[in-house]
Amino acid sequence: MTAGSSIEPVFELRDITKTYGAVRALRSVSLKLLPGEVVGLVGDNGAGKSTLSKVISGTIKPDAGEIRVDGRATVFETAVDARMAGIETVFQTLAVVPTLDIPANMYLGREEIRKGFLGKLFRLMDRGKMQRDAEEGFRKLGLKLPDLRTKVGALSGGQRQAVAIARAVLWGSKIVVLDEPTAALGVHQTEMVLSFIERLREHGVTVVFISHNMQNVLRVADRVVVMRLGQKVFEGEGASLDGARLVSLITGASEVQAAP
Ligand SMILES: Nc1ncnc2c1ncn2[C@@H]1O[C@H](COP(=O)(O)OP(=O)(O)OP(=O)(O)O)[C@@H](O)[C@H]1O
Ligand SMILES: [Mg+2]
């Protein structure tokens, strides 16, 4: 999907600031996310990408600035608030609980959200229903796992990512934030995650994809946002960029030598 100016953002950050002691991790960052677009978020180590993703996912509260969901100003007190607003975050290591099986992982944290009667219902929900729902999540992604009863700890890194991403699809998330989901993955598993990102977009989900791999970012991102020292220094359509230009934007170099 192209970023037409008439499309209303599903999510917006306005002048977000976050400091850690003397470190200004985010300096007045503004960002609009449109429905069904993949936004590549890039920048050097310490540029503020993870901090920004944590603000989006409600894990940290900014010092100043505004968060708007579907055009309405919103405050996320916790990550649960963000989930209720349809925002799922998938981290490389914290995405899943290794000692639980796949359906249990897909229901993780839902009781917190549905308090009272619905919460009780979820806890009482029979395993068969959870399994069917989990299968449905994987089917939507076109993914088959050998056995859903497998403990997630016994899955490979890419399969764990699949569980976390399928969970986002199952719960009808509007926005999925992926903070370096492919950092520890091999070629095949990286391909799998990239194709999931494309599937999420097909389902109308907005994806924020953080990665240090420029080729991967350029392959899937409709739009690329570059951060440097806590500031957003560039945003533009992925199709207008190449790896060398991105590197120069990330490092702040005005010119980059073309490869011979
Ligand atoms: N909990 C924290 N306490 C203190 N400083 C922090 C904390 N989290 C992040 N920072 C600092 O904020 C800045 C931005 O960090 P952040 O993790 O957002 O960078 P990043 O772009 O995700 O980097 P990387 O590519 O290495 O993951 C860094 O200078 C970092 O040291
Ligand atoms: Mg980071």
Side-chain angles (χ1 to χ4, degrees), residues 97-106 127 148-152:
V97 176
T99 50
L100 294 176
D101 68 12
I102 293 166
N105 262 286
M106 302 201 42
R127 294 279 309 154
L148 286 178
R149 285 166 303 184
T150 314
K151 295 277 184 288
V152 164

Side-chain angles (χ1 to χ4, degrees), residues 37-42 49 176-183 190 193-194 197 206-221 223-225:
E37 70 168 345
V38 177
V39 176
L41 184 57
V42 300
K49 306 179 299 296
V176 174
V177 182
L178 300 153
D179 192 352
E180 305 202 34
T182 58
T190 298
V193 170
L194 294 179
I197 291 173
T206 302
V207 179
V208 178
F209 175 44
I210 299 174
S211 176
H212 285 284
N213 184 311
M214 297 307 127
Q215 256 48 55
N216 290 346
V217 168
L218 290 173
R219 217 185 91 188
V220 294
R223 209 150 56 85
V224 178
V225 171

Side-chain angles (χ1 to χ4, degrees), residues 3-16:
S5 56
S6 60
I7 301 169
E8 288 299 313
V10 279
F11 185 90
E12 191 178 348
L13 297 174
R14 289 190 183 172
D15 297 321
I16 295 290

Side-chain angles (χ1 to χ4, degrees), residues 55-102:
V55 169
I56 297 172
S57 64
T59 315
I60 58 168
K61 273 179 88 173
D63 300 331
E66 195 174 78
I67 295 172
R68 298 177 82 86
V69 179
D70 291 327
R72 280 188 305 276
T74 310
V75 175
F76 293 155
E77 293 294 341
T78 65
V80 173
D81 291 343
R83 272 194 179 174
M84 285 175 81
I87 300 164
E88 279 280 341
T89 307
V90 180
F91 295 103
Q92 175 69 45
T93 49
L94 302 175
V96 290
V97 176
T99 50
L100 294 176
D101 68 12
I102 293 166

Side-chain angles (χ1 to χ4, degrees), residues 4 10 14 17 20 35 38 43 48-49 68 104 125-126 143 178 187 191-192 196 226 241-242:
V10 279
R14 289 190 183 172
T17 297
Y20 291 105
V38 177
K49 306 179 299 296
R68 298 177 82 86
M125 191 178 273
D126 66 302
L143 183 98
L178 300 153
V187 175
E191 281 303 314
M192 209 163 85
F196 288 159
V226 181
L241 295 164
D242 61 24

Side-chain angles (χ1 to χ4, degrees), residues 112-130:
E112 292 174 68
I113 291 172
R114 318 261 170 136
K115 288 206 164 63
F117 173 71
L118 272 177
K120 278 194 193 126
L121 202 65
F122 268 124
R123 281 189 289 277
L124 290 172
M125 191 178 273
D126 66 302
R127 294 279 309 154
K129 163 98 174 92
M130 279 169 71

